[in-house]
């Protein structure tokens, strides 16, 4: 048992480090607008891609490096040591890419994957609807065949990045007369298509990262269908399995940040960290943070041996999103009334605790809610039976719905 | 990255598991629970024959010198099976104390007996229902003679030797005591977990052989407790996993409202929380095992981390296992309470969780200074 790379892994890591050291651009995050963030992210992604460091585990001919999973992990570990603009490609490269790689034609893969890897084209995930989130298969956006095209009508919601995306993957209902999982059909769609209207939604944080996306008589060529007609659920599962790998741990303040704050702020005229109740909370978070870190190491060891990680990766999101919420909240407790201040001139630590407090609720919902992830672990890891469903075997158009 | 047990170590695990399933099933554990025997002599003999007691003791002291990773593997299986034997007292506590602070002669004198199972050792620190400290330990040592009362002492009623913490003029010190001396009385005491025996030990002018430097007792105990914390954490994870498996099994077969209770989310999610806590603890235990095995300077932090995490996991898993069993879980007849009892014993045997959390933060403060 050790933390060491194999000689080949060590050599690879050294190569990665050398390249990153020479190439990571300086970043001044102060007043980085969304447009500026996108510009910087695209430029960094292109630089990586040109040197063979984009989407490492993808095949070379599709813009990747044909690297092993463990090499991808090593790259991520090293890149994450730098403050590089990231995130806007995560949905495309993490979920849309693998879905395209599995279901698109050879020509389509040649056309769409390399620009996705290079960040030239950004992709989004058009899954959730007002009446279909956790119960994704309850979606209603309608697809009707018209010659060689499909006509799409309906509404998607919570679509992250739709407003700056070039393409999206889309699940629709092509047949409402069969049980819900059977009547779905899956497409990829040009976000500039006539009939698509995107409206930003303001989140509790005040930012607008996600959107409503309306489809009015949008035409999609049948050639842009992924999987068979009526087989869209199976295609969606491919996306969702990759989502679980892509989401992973929550960003934001972690143990080290709350530890530092507790050392620097006072309660009863002494550092907060001397307070027994504070120490108790800190110890719990330290153990959770390390438990996750070493769980990752175990997964990585399995990757080293060539195994694929399963749904147990969901542990990371369940634990880290809650921890983030608690740390954000506790950080503000330590600041007392001053903790509510979000004025840039007076707030502490760049407002990371307030940011976590307002951001964490979204993490507990996005990419599978805490409850849905618990169901997944219960069923796929522990082998417990599925929930009893009221809609099993019922034609979609006869399923009871919210008012 | 190779943050896993090796193939050989996993083979050892399989061997340990099947030995324990055969010789130390919950039926055997219940015999100790309900009977008068202090431990399961047959299972204990079997462990000795397999060489387990000498796993991490170097060959020059009569052990088989495999190492701590192997000992961790065995500890996890012992925890899973709730083995009612003096293994931990002898191996994690007494042998660790001798290995940590013993002179060459002391190691040669005491370790072979532990390794071969000819003798049983233990560690006598606690003096009643409160946290021990270098100041409040009342046992006294003067001119090589010890007097005082120690309780509870794990396996104190069956051990041949004990490392005893007592205050001398120089401060808290450790002494090796031959418990067969006429001046010693050892009396079994009733405890929360009757599957592990504990005793009250009285020393009166009992000869004791200094272990380590005089006045250095608290410091040595800290080191011994760090090593023991990792080993006990593996027992805790083994127990937590066993309670989780038991709860899962029951939930799949027990019907209510016309369906298995495992289809109720309140039950499913409870099992997931038990699983998540156990996995985090297991990962922290691997860190502890690595630190112990490599004599890393991170051991004090790693030990506290895996102890806290494993304590939480076992508590969660053993108490919710009872909940999943409903009324059955509250009966003497069902085995749920065996895990619940053991989980509490292991959460306090090296000092309670509040103290370990406090120590963890102190150690992190030192490391960050
Ligand atoms: C920040 C953010 C970004 C997002 N980005 C995208 C995106 O890019 N693309 C996209 O398609 N979607 C996106 N989503 C949507 C996200 O996938 C859904 O919000 C999520 O799946 C939950 O669906 P819902 O909002 O309809 O809530 P509901 O499904 O209505 O859930 C409401 C509550 O009921 C609980 N619940 C529902 N079903 C069950 C069940 N079977 N058992 C127990 N409890 C249950 C849920 O856990 C939740 O607590 C995003 C969401 C957020 C917050």
């Amino acid at each position: 048992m050790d933390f060491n790379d194999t000689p080949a892994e060590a050599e690879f890591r050294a190569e990665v480090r050398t390249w990153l050291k020479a190439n990571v651009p300086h970043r001044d995050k102060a007043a980085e607008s969304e447009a500026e963030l996108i510009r910087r992210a695209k430029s960094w992604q292109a630089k990586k891609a040109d040197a063979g460091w984009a989407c490492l585990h993808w095949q070379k001919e599709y813009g990747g490096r044909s690297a092993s999973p463990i090499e991808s992990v090593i790259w991520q570990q090293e890149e994450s040591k730098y403050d590089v603009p990231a995130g806007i490609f995560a949905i495309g490269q993490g979920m849309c890419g693998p879905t395209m790689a599995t279901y698109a034609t050879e020509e389509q893969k040649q056309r769409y994957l390399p620009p996705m890897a290079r960040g030239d084209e950004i992709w989004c995930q058009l899954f959730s609807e007002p009446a279909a989130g956790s119960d994704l298969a309850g979606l209603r956006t309608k697809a009707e065949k018209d010659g060689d095209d499909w006509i799409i009508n309906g509404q998607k919601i919570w679509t992250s990045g739709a407003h700056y995306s070039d393409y999206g993957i889309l699940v629709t209902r092509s047949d409402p007369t069969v049980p819900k999982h059977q009547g779905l059909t899956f497409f990829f769609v040009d976000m500039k298509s006539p009939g698509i209207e995107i409206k930003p939604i303001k989140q509790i944080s005040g930012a607008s990262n996600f959107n409503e996306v309306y489809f009015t008589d949008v035409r999609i060529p049948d050639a842009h269908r992924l999987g068979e007609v009526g087989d869209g659920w199976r295609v969606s599962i491919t996306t969702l399995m990759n989502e679980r790998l892509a989401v992973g741990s929550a960003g934001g303040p972690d143990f080290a940040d709350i530890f530092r704050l507790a050392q620097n702020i006072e309660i009863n005229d002494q550092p907060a960290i001397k307070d027994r109740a504070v120490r108790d909370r800190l110890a719990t978070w330290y153990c959770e943070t390390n438990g996750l870190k070493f769980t990752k190491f175990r997964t990585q060891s399995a990757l080293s041996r060539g195994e694929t990680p399963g749904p147990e990766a969901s542990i990371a999101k369940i634990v880290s999103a809650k921890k983030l919420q608690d740390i954000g909240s506790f950080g503000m407790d330590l600041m007392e009334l001053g903790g509510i201040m979000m004025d840039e001139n007076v707030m502490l630590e760049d407002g990371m605790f307030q940011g976590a407090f307002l951001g964490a609720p979204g993490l507990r919902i996005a990419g599978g809610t805490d409850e849905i992830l618990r169901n997944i672990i219960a069923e796929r890891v522990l082998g417990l039976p599925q929930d009893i469903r009221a809609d099993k075997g019922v034609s979609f158009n006869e399923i009871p719905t919210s008012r | 990255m190779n943050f896993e047990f090796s193939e050989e170590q996993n083979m050892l695990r399989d061997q340990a598991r099947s030995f324990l399933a055969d010789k130390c099933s919950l039926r055997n554990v219940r015999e100790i629970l309900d009977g008068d025997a202090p431990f399961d002599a047959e299972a204990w003999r079997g462990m000795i024959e397999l060489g387990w007691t000498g796993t991490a003791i170097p060959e020059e002291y009569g052990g088989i010198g495999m190492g701590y990773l192997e000992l961790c593997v065995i500890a996890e299986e012992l925890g899973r099976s709730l083995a009612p034997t003096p293994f931990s007292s002898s191996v994690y506590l007494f042998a660790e104390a001798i290995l940590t602070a013993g002179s060459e002669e002391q190691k040669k004198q005491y370790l072979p007996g532990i390794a071969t199972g000819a003798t049983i050792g233990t560690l006598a620190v606690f003096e009643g229902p409160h946290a021990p400290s270098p100041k409040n330990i009342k046992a006294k040592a003067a001119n090589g003679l010890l007097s005082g009362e120690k309780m509870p002492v794990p396996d104190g009623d069956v051990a041949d030797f004990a490392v005893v913490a007592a205050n001398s003029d120089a401060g808290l010190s450790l002494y090796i005591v031959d418990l067969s001396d006429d001046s010693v009385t050892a009396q079994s005491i009733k405890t929360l977990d009757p599957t592990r025996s504990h005793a009250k030990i009285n020393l009166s002018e009992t000869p004791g052989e200094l272990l380590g430097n005089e006045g250095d007792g608290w410091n040595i105990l800290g080191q011994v407790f760090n090593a023991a914390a990792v080993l006990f954490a593996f027992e805790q994870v083994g127990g937590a996993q066993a309670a989780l498996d038991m709860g899962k099994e029951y939930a799949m077969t027990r019907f209510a409202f016309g369906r298995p209770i495992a289809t109720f989310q309140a039950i499913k999610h409870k099992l997931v929380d038990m699983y998540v806590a156990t996995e985090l603890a297991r990962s922290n235990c691997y860190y502890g095992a690595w630190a112990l095995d490599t004599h890393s300077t991170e051991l004090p932090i790693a030990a506290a981390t895996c102890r806290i995490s494993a304590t939480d996991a076992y508590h969660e898993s053993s108490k919710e296992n009872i909940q999943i069993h409903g009324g059955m879980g509250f009966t003497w007849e069902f085995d749920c309470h065996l895990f619940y009892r053991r989980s509490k014993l292991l959460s306090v045997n090296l000092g309670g969780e509040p103290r370990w959390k406090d120590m963890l933060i102190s150690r992190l403060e030192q490391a960050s200074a």
Side-chain angles (χ1 to χ4, degrees):
Chain A
M1 185 181 287
D2 60 56
F3 297 98
N4 306 334
D5 290 331
T6 64
E9 287 165 7
E11 197 179 310
F12 182 78
R13 191 184 296 278
E15 191 187 345
V16 168
R17 282 190 181 158
T18 310
W19 190 84
L20 283 168
K21 194 153 182 241
N23 288 285
V24 169
H26 173 71
R27 183 178 185 196
D28 175 13
K29 268 210 290 210
E32 185 178 75
S33 65
E34 187 181 77
E36 182 57 18
L37 168 73
I38 292 172
R39 199 193 60 75
R40 289 178 185 180
K42 282 191 163 189
S43 131
W44 172 235
Q45 191 64 28
K47 191 169 187 180
K48 290 194 296 184
D50 295 343
W53 297 115
C55 299
L56 274 73
H57 57 290
W58 291 14
Q59 290 174 34
K60 269 201 188 111
E61 67 234 73
Y62 304 135
R65 190 187 181 87
S66 302
S68 68
I70 189 72
E71 287 175 334
S72 297
V73 169
I74 290 173
W75 166 268
Q76 283 159 21
Q77 285 172 344
E78 295 302 324
E79 189 188 20
S80 70
K81 291 179 185 162
Y82 293 91
D83 183 18
V84 292
I88 64 168
F89 308 116
I91 291 175
Q93 296 171 352
M95 303 180 231
C96 306
T99 311
M100 290 290 283
T102 311
Y103 291 98
T105 64
E106 185 53 40
E107 261 165 51
Q108 287 167 341
K109 286 193 267 190
Q110 307 258 7
R111 155 64 187 87
Y112 293 102
L113 291 178
M116 189 192 285
R118 196 169 184 276
D120 294 336
E121 291 171 351
I122 305 181
W123 287 59
C124 62
Q125 176 197 18
L126 299 151
F127 277 28
S128 304
E129 296 185 6
S134 303
D135 183 14
L136 176 62
L139 60 87
R140 298 171 188 189
T141 293
K142 205 161 47 168
E144 290 163 302
K145 192 83 195 284
D146 180 39
D148 281 344
D149 288 344
W150 291 80
I151 314 277
I152 313 294
N153 280 288
Q155 183 198 347
K156 295 289 172 178
I157 195 169
W158 323 126
T159 318
S160 302
H163 55 300
Y164 52 67
S165 287
D166 302 285
Y167 294 92
I169 51 174
L170 170 73
V171 216
T172 64
R173 182 159 307 281
S174 48
D175 184 355
T177 65
V178 292
K180 66 179 183 182
H181 292 99
Q182 294 166 25
L184 305 178
T185 299
F186 200 111
F187 302 94
F188 66 93
V189 57
D190 184 342
M191 293 300 286
K192 308 286 176 321
S193 307
I196 293 185
E197 190 190 356
I198 299 167
K199 292 186 181 168
I201 306 172
K202 190 168 176 180
Q203 297 151 206
I204 67 174
S205 62
S208 296
N209 303 113
F210 57 27
N211 306 271
E212 294 178 287
V213 180
Y214 292 90
F215 291 79
T216 311
D217 292 332
V218 174
R219 277 189 178 270
I220 301 182
D222 188 52
H224 290 191
R225 172 166 49 77
L226 297 175
E228 298 302 314
V229 174
D231 212 17
W233 183 247
R234 191 184 353 193
V235 187
S236 309
I237 294 292
T238 304
T239 314
L240 296 177
M241 296 294 256
N242 281 286
E243 178 163 34
R244 253 147 244 146
L245 293 179
V247 284
S249 292
D254 205 340
F255 173 77
D257 304 289
I258 191 75
F259 184 76
R260 188 179 59 245
L261 182 70
Q263 285 179 315
N264 293 335
I265 210 164
E266 295 198 336
I267 292 180
N268 295 328
D269 304 316
Q270 57 168 1
I273 197 163
K274 297 297 164 207
D275 183 287
R276 203 60 186 259
V278 171
R279 296 169 87 76
D280 181 276
R281 298 293 298 273
L282 290 177
T284 303
W285 289 320
Y286 183 80
C287 292
E288 282 179 3
T289 300
N290 278 278
L292 288 178
K293 172 171 141 192
F294 295 119
T295 301
K296 229 188 214 170
F297 284 2
R298 285 167 59 202
T299 311
Q300 211 177 306
S301 305
L303 279 178
S304 268
R305 272 190 288 109
E307 281 182 19
T308 30
E312 55 274 7
S314 307
I315 291 181
K317 195 175 99 92
I318 294 183
V319 176
S320 64
K322 174 178 187 301
K323 176 156 59 73
L324 182 70
Q325 189 163 32
D326 292 345
I327 286 178
S329 173
F330 195 69
M332 290 158 70
D333 286 341
L334 294 182
M335 301 175 205
E336 303 217 336
L337 183 58
I340 64 171
M341 296 191 296
M342 292 187 72
D343 182 307
E344 275 167 33
N345 299 311
V346 288
M347 69 189 180
L348 289 185
E349 302 273 353
D350 289 335
M352 67 160 80
F353 295 96
Q354 293 81 1
F357 182 79
L358 293 175
L363 283 167
R364 294 184 52 200
I365 296 165
T369 65
D370 282 2
E371 292 73 26
I372 293 298
L373 291 185
R374 279 189 172 77
N375 263 12
I376 288 170
I377 292 178
E379 292 164 20
R380 310 256 173 83
V381 181
L382 298 180
L384 300 175
Q386 292 193 342
D387 293 355
I388 303 278
R389 278 180 25 214
D391 57 3
K392 198 147 200 165
V394 180
S395 305
F396 178 71
N397 52 14
E398 285 165 15
I399 294 173
T401 58
S402 322
R403 271 171 298 153
Chain B
M1 176 75 55
N2 173 26
F3 197 54
E4 292 176 308
F5 285 104
S6 70
E7 217 165 289
E8 293 78 33
Q9 286 154 357
N10 285 326
M11 271 164 59
L12 173 67
R13 177 192 311 284
D14 291 343
Q15 183 204 37
R17 192 173 296 182
S18 67
F19 166 79
L20 289 166
D22 183 29
K23 288 283 185 285
C24 197
S25 68
L26 288 177
R27 223 189 46 236
N28 303 88
V29 178
R30 298 198 73 100
E31 275 170 25
I32 302 304
L33 175 77
D34 292 322
D36 292 330
F39 64 90
D40 185 331
E42 200 191 328
W44 177 235
R45 248 193 322 274
M47 294 174 194
I48 291 166
E49 275 163 22
L50 288 168
W52 291 2
T53 38
T55 307
I57 296 178
E59 278 167 288
E60 60 214 280
Y61 307 125
I64 52 174
M66 282 213 274
Y68 283 108
L69 295 180
E70 286 75 12
L71 189 53
C72 288
V73 166
I74 290 171
E76 186 178 341
E77 297 310 313
L78 291 171
R80 172 195 296 272
S81 69
L82 295 174
T85 69
F87 192 89
S88 54
S89 301
S90 221
V91 177
Y92 316 162
L93 298 175
F94 183 81
E96 274 313 308
I98 304 291
L99 280 167
T100 303
S103 65
E104 191 58 29
E105 289 92 85
Q106 287 171 331
K107 289 181 188 170
K108 288 222 159 81
Q109 184 180 347
Y110 295 104
L111 293 175
I114 298 298
T116 59
T119 51
I120 294 173
T122 187
L123 180 65
V125 178
F126 291 83
E127 297 183 350
H130 59 262
S133 78
K135 273 192 204 144
N136 73 13
I137 286 183
K138 294 205 183 75
K140 286 270 173 281
N143 307 319
L145 297 177
L146 276 65
S147 297
E149 188 177 69
K150 291 286 173 183
M151 66 174 178
V153 179
D155 301 298
D157 46 352
V158 298
D160 305 291
F161 295 97
V163 167
V164 177
N167 265 302
S168 76
D169 285 346
L172 194 78
S173 312
L174 301 182
Y175 301 87
I176 306 170
V177 168
D178 181 346
L179 294 176
S180 67
D181 193 86
D182 287 344
S183 61
V184 179
T185 59
Q187 220 181 334
S188 304
I189 42 177
K190 190 175 166 189
T191 70
L192 181 79
D193 182 5
T195 65
R196 291 287 294 106
S197 102
H198 286 77
K200 178 162 96 178
I201 290 188
N202 259 293
L203 305 174
S204 126
E205 308 265 298
T206 304
E209 185 186 330
L210 185 67
L211 176 70
N213 290 330
E214 200 178 349
D216 204 22
W218 192 250
N219 174 34
I220 300 168
L221 277 180
Q223 295 174 48
V224 174
F225 277 19
N226 283 339
V230 174
L231 298 163
F232 277 119
F234 272 91
E235 287 205 2
Q236 291 170 306
V237 162
Q241 182 70 49
L244 164 61
D245 292 345
M246 191 181 169
K248 192 173 94 176
E249 181 80 22
Y250 188 76
M252 303 279 271
T253 46
R254 169 74 181 171
F255 274 64
F257 299 90
R259 50 172 162 145
I261 58 169
T263 58
F264 296 114
Q265 273 192 0
I267 298 291
K268 286 167 82 168
H269 291 190
K270 201 185 275 309
L271 286 162
V272 169
D273 290 339
M274 291 155 73
Y275 165 77
V276 169
T278 305
E279 282 308 299
L280 294 185
R282 188 188 306 283
S283 299
N284 282 325
C285 278
Y286 280 29
Y287 175 44
W290 167 83
L292 183 60
D293 185 55
T294 59
H295 307 284
S296 164
T297 52
E298 292 173 42
L299 179 62
I301 289 173
T305 304
C306 65
R307 176 163 180 87
I308 294 164
S309 192
T311 294
D312 286 347
Y314 203 0
H315 180 61
E316 174 80 16
S317 192
S318 63
K319 82 182 159 69
E320 296 309 320
N321 181 39
I322 295 181
Q323 186 67 16
I324 290 169
H325 279 73
M328 279 297 186
F330 191 58
T331 63
W332 187 265
E333 187 194 338
F334 259 59
D335 293 329
C336 304
H337 67 121
L338 302 182
F339 294 98
Y340 190 54
R341 290 172 192 280
R342 183 63 65 84
S343 120
K344 198 63 224 171
L345 165 61
L346 295 185
S347 76
V348 293
N349 65 348
L350 301 175
E353 190 176 69
R355 203 145 63 83
W356 277 93
K357 285 184 159 176
D358 187 46
M359 287 194 288
L360 172 60
I361 298 304
S362 300
R363 291 166 184 186
L364 290 167
E365 284 179 292
Q366 273 164 22
S368 80

